[in-house]
Amino acid sequence: MFKLWLEWDMGQDGSIFSTKDKAIQWVNAAVADDSELQEEFPNGYNDLADSGLCYIEQLNIDPTY
């Protein structure tokens, strides 16, 4: 499971993604839906991550809880 951190709250808080790729797809779709972000970060997740404005954290799930 993966948690997405963005500099801005774009509705991702509280969401957990089953794969890193799905989290990246979510970011890319969110950027594509915002013309200002799309202009500033045309490569979506890659541009945001390179700028330190976004990262994906792998979560450890303890099956005993």
Side-chain angles (χ1 to χ4, degrees):
M1 299 293 165
F2 297 84
K3 182 168 177 67
L4 172 63
W5 177 84
L6 285 168
E7 179 66 25
W8 315 275
D9 179 9
M10 297 178 65
Q12 80 286 352
D13 284 351
S15 295
I16 302 297
F17 299 89
S18 57
T19 68
K20 184 175 181 179
D21 286 337
K22 287 184 180 187
I24 292 171
Q25 289 172 5
W26 188 95
V27 171
N28 289 338
V31 169
D33 286 343
D34 185 310
S35 60
E36 288 180 31
L37 285 177
Q38 189 175 23
E39 187 174 318
E40 190 170 351
F41 304 103
N43 295 312
Y45 172 79
N46 290 332
D47 288 344
L48 288 165
D50 289 346
S51 298
L53 299 171
C54 177
Y55 65 84
I56 298 172
E57 174 184 4
Q58 185 169 0
L59 301 176
N60 295 313
I61 308 300
D62 185 340
T64 61
Y65 294 102

